[in-house]
Amino acid sequence: MDILVTGGAGFIGGHLAERFARDGHSVVALDNLDPFYDLDIKEYNAEVARAAAREGDGSYELVEGDVRDAELVEELVSDADYVYHQAAQAGVRPSVENPRKYDEVNVDGTLNLLDACRDTGIERFVMASSSSVYGKPRYLPYDEEHPTTPVSPYGASKLSAERYACAYSEVYDFPVVALRYFTVYGPRMRPNMAISNFVSRCMNGEPPVIYGDGTQTRDFTFIDDVVEANVTLLEEDAADGQAVNIGSTDNIEIKTLAEEIRDQLAPDLELEYAERYDADSEHTHADTSKAGELLGYEASHTIREGVAKFIEWYEANREWYEPLVRRS
């Protein structure tokens, strides 16, 4: 199959491109190579995907371009059977400083793709949404019926994008699925995430820094589980037209996470605390029963298992990856 992966040199998009290419599909990765974080990791993701294509029977092409370029988007979608839309302006905290860019990329960029898809008859449009659409919890875990009241411009832009996608599915009659990811982590993750920073600081004899009092909780989802959910949608149509949570069903206090990493790598270190950012969610916790029912989804990694795998990967790739984390 011909698969277009937007954001295809990023963290999740890179893993998807790698898997699809290894499985024998023809993959085009669209990425604007935005230096939101160091481009070395995007170049590495592209190399991994190219290697996967050589090992399997697939193909891989990286196209440098932007989802805001409607003409380019239309051209690429016209050759695709499936579109996996992972491109986005990421980051809850930066969205507070520049909300209009998040609208331009996450909303208008998504609309460019949807407009192209409605005229080409693609097999399915799968988009990355976010747990940030829920905002402050009325109850936990979040199920898909929970009110969506995002507290950051990033969350608002993701909610708008997914609502447009599901509306297009209804009125233009092509299959759309929005996957609401809960804090995805793992090998090749963005260098500026809490887990990568905790690991790096501990490996260098520096205490992990926690923003707030550490009682905030997160549902961290290992990248392999996210990939499997996406791959299922090459065949499964039960979730068409819907938004579906993809999480771990487990959550952990940030303080406990920092302690777990500290205890594995540098048990003598004390934790440090800094002021919490207002836009950060207090708690996230996914109810994935809908994903289980519709997609057969079941998370296969606990946070402790996933973090252990990430630490192992970090140690093997420390020479090139650590400088990216230290600069973030």
Side-chain angles (χ1 to χ4, degrees), residues 135-157:
K136 294 181 180 180
R138 306 274 184 89
Y139 56 85
L140 289 172
Y142 292 117
D143 58 27
E144 289 82 357
E145 301 305 313
H146 187 283
T148 47
T149 53
V151 296
S152 68
Y154 170 75
S157 71

Side-chain angles (χ1 to χ4, degrees), residues 10-280:
F11 172 40
I12 299 173
H15 278 271
L16 290 177
E18 175 193 0
R19 172 64 179 272
F20 290 144
R22 179 170 286 113
D23 286 350
H25 301 295
S26 297
V27 178
V28 173
L30 173 65
D31 203 292
N32 68 353
L33 304 181
D34 186 335
F36 178 69
Y37 56 89
D38 202 300
L39 292 180
D40 286 354
I41 194 166
K42 290 197 170 189
E43 293 171 3
Y44 181 81
N45 286 335
E47 283 303 315
V48 170
R50 291 188 188 99
R54 290 192 295 268
E55 294 167 6
D57 296 322
S59 64
Y60 174 84
E61 178 187 2
L62 175 62
V63 175
E64 184 175 354
D66 199 299
V67 291
R68 291 172 289 183
D69 183 342
E71 186 174 338
L72 174 62
V73 164
E74 184 175 5
E75 176 186 343
L76 295 178
V77 170
S78 68
D79 294 326
D81 299 313
Y82 289 81
V83 175
Y84 279 81
H85 178 33
Q86 311 299 305
Q89 188 65 39
V92 168
R93 295 169 187 169
S95 76
V96 177
E97 304 299 323
N98 188 8
R100 287 195 175 273
K101 185 174 184 181
Y102 285 74
D103 182 74
E104 292 166 6
V105 177
N106 299 350
V107 183
D108 290 344
T110 300
L111 281 169
N112 284 339
L113 284 155
L114 292 169
D115 283 337
C117 288
R118 76 179 189 176
D119 297 326
T120 58
I122 62 163
E123 296 291 332
R124 185 163 291 108
F125 178 91
V126 182
M127 69 162 289
S129 187
S130 168
S131 61
S132 294
V133 304
Y134 290 116
K136 294 181 180 180
R138 306 274 184 89
Y139 56 85
L140 289 172
Y142 292 117
D143 58 27
E144 289 82 357
E145 301 305 313
H146 187 283
T148 47
T149 53
V151 296
S152 68
Y154 170 75
S157 71
K158 296 301 284 186
L159 178 61
S160 180
E162 75 162 54
R163 292 299 86 206
Y164 271 120
C166 291
Y168 268 59
S169 176
E170 182 70 26
V171 300
Y172 299 116
D173 194 29
F174 67 90
V176 164
V177 179
L179 299 181
R180 291 175 176 168
Y181 300 148
F182 282 69
T183 316
V184 186
Y185 73 101
R188 293 151 43 198
M189 69 192 292
R190 273 178 22 214
N192 60 345
M193 301 294 282
I195 292 175
S196 52
N197 275 291
F198 289 166
V199 170
S200 176
R201 291 183 67 84
C202 288
M203 283 188 171
N204 287 279
E206 301 169 357
V209 177
I210 296 169
Y211 294 93
D213 63 7
T215 60
Q216 312 96 293
T217 62
R218 291 290 179 274
D219 189 326
F220 289 98
T221 313
F222 194 65
I223 183 62
D224 290 1
D225 294 327
V226 169
V227 169
E228 290 303 323
N230 279 275
V231 169
T232 298
L233 290 168
L234 287 173
E235 304 291 341
E236 181 57 68
D237 63 2
D240 286 352
Q242 300 187 57
V244 181
N245 289 341
I246 300 297
S248 71
T249 74
D250 188 15
N251 71 345
I252 187 171
E253 282 193 352
I254 297 298
K255 179 181 178 181
T256 302
L257 173 66
E259 289 171 340
E260 290 272 347
I261 293 171
R262 185 269 315 273
D263 291 348
Q264 287 190 50
L265 297 173
D268 293 333
L269 292 175
E270 297 291 334
L271 304 182
E272 287 189 3
Y273 294 85
E275 186 175 353
R276 179 175 174 266
Y277 290 87
D278 289 340
D280 287 350

